[in-house]
Amino acid sequence: MELQNAPIGVFDSGFGGLTVAREIMRQIPNETIVYFGDTARVPYGTKSQTTILKYSKQIVRFLRTKEVKAIVVACNTASALALEEIRRELEIPILGVIKPGAKIAANTTKNGKIGIIATEATIQSRVYTHFIQDLNPELTVIGKACPLFVPIVEEGTFLNDPILDAIANRYLEELKQHKIDTLILGCTHYPLLRSTLSRLMGEDVTLVNPAYETARELQRLLRKEGLENTQGQEIERIHTFYVSDVPDRFKQFAASILPCSAERTAQINIEEY
Ligand code: DGL
């Protein structure tokens, strides 16, 4: 296979990263994706850096067996805690979601106050803050870990329930007090809570989904490296999906958000890599 026509590897701790895969499919329809969701070991957001790094390296080794030409770390937690070290050892391009998310937030804010909601591990790493303040040291960044959001999205039944409003209000209170005007959805699952978060934060706060800018950044990177897919539109792109636990719930979730089928999602033993 010609290198340009090789797939892009995309991975996440579970199915949340499909929000990033969906954006790549939408913005760069010529590319083919091999997606891996670590459904057996999710969540990453409460784990140590050592563990997240070990898991991420195993996944990168697996994706390389699929001859991917580039890798997107769709998971914010793995982007915050594992990306830099993996990049040092890898000879193909690799991209995370944090830098693109930080860039768009820094360009969006008008009053200079940016909020970030994410997992415990991402907030503690302060990586979003570092990237934002590298771009503009004048900006104030307020982070808030929202650990209950991931299980709520995965469970699915409380997405339009007063329980979600009560929990979200508690988490968002501090960000509102700081009068932020921009809020980064710093976890793959949170775009699925967008309508609730947007209603509770009010119309003066712009929500930033890093997936959008990540797909744009990926396109720029492929172009710069001469890696854009050269096959014409007439060739159908068959995306493939792998998970580390039984695929049933993953397939259900994929069917609700992807424009393509993930019916043939396969389970692999990631510990072998
Ligand atoms: N995918 C993770 C992230 O974006 C959220 C779920 C987890 O904790 O593993 O940070």
Side-chain angles (χ1 to χ4, degrees):
M1 180 175 11
E2 285 213 21
L3 190 55
Q4 284 96 335
N5 301 335
I8 312 275
V10 178
F11 80 87
D12 178 44
S13 56
F15 50 64
L18 289 174
T19 57
V20 179
R22 172 178 66 178
E23 202 52 44
I24 296 171
M25 290 173 194
R26 202 174 67 78
Q27 289 192 39
I28 335 177
N30 269 9
E31 300 298 337
T32 308
I33 290 174
V34 177
Y35 183 95
F36 177 79
D38 201 357
T39 50
R41 305 188 295 193
V42 68
Y44 282 13
T46 47
K47 296 195 170 68
S48 69
Q49 179 166 26
T50 311
T51 302
I52 294 162
L53 193 55
K54 176 184 143 196
Y55 290 174
S56 303
K57 284 184 175 180
Q58 285 177 319
I59 298 168
V60 167
R61 283 196 282 273
F62 164 70
L63 289 173
R64 298 227 59 193
T65 67
K66 302 293 165 198
E67 298 181 352
V68 295
K69 63 184 174 187
I71 292 178
V72 176
V73 185
C75 178
N76 287 262
T77 308
S79 296
L81 295 165
L83 176 64
E84 285 315 313
E85 181 156 344
I86 292 173
R87 182 179 280 138
R88 278 198 287 276
E89 297 168 5
L90 202 65
E91 53 303 342
I92 57 169
I94 184 162
L95 179 71
V97 286
I98 294 194
K99 210 170 180 176
K103 184 175 150 196
I104 191 102
N107 289 338
T108 302
T109 184
K110 301 241 176 342
N111 72 0
K113 291 181 187 159
I114 299 172
I116 304 159
I117 49 174
T119 64
E120 205 77 62
T122 302
I123 295 298
Q124 271 172 22
S125 76
R126 296 180 52 83
V127 172
Y128 265 111
T129 309
H130 292 149
F131 278 131
I132 290 170
Q133 291 183 337
D134 274 355
L135 292 166
N136 182 352
E138 309 273 284
L139 299 177
T140 305
V141 184
I142 303 113
K144 180 77 189 166
C146 304
L148 289 174
F149 282 168
V150 168
I152 286 176
V153 170
E154 302 231 337
E155 214 281 330
T157 29
F158 296 112
L159 292 179
N160 294 308
D161 193 286
I163 289 175
L164 174 59
D165 278 25
I167 294 169
N169 265 324
R170 187 78 73 85
Y171 284 145
L172 300 174
E173 199 179 302
E174 193 186 325
L175 301 172
K176 282 186 184 165
Q177 276 170 11
H178 279 91
K179 302 211 178 322
I180 60 159
D181 72 350
T182 304
L183 178 63
I184 302 178
L185 308 182
C187 170
T188 49
H189 289 58
Y190 300 176
L192 301 157
L193 302 175
R194 192 181 187 111
S195 58
T196 300
L197 297 172
S198 162
R199 174 169 49 78
L200 297 181
M201 287 310 291
E203 55 187 24
D204 294 338
V205 177
T206 306
L207 303 193
V208 167
N209 175 5
Y212 178 78
E213 189 59 22
T214 301
R216 284 178 55 144
E217 193 69 41
L218 174 65
Q219 188 171 33
R220 282 194 284 268
L221 184 68
L222 295 176
R223 203 165 281 164
K224 182 170 140 249
E225 302 284 333
L227 287 174
E228 274 184 306
N229 197 317
T230 52
Q231 288 172 320
Q233 293 284 359
E234 67 286 356
I235 307 225
E236 196 195 349
R237 267 67 187 179
I238 313 262
H239 307 293
T240 46
F241 301 88
Y242 297 89
V243 284
S244 49
D245 203 348
V246 281
D248 306 6
R249 289 191 67 211
F250 179 89
K251 285 198 255 183
Q252 253 176 34
F253 183 79
S256 72
I257 74 156
L258 287 184
C260 66
S261 167
E263 254 323 291
R264 287 167 57 199
T265 300
Q267 181 179 353
I268 60 137
N269 181 2
I270 194 66
E271 297 290 356
E272 281 173 3
Y273 291 87

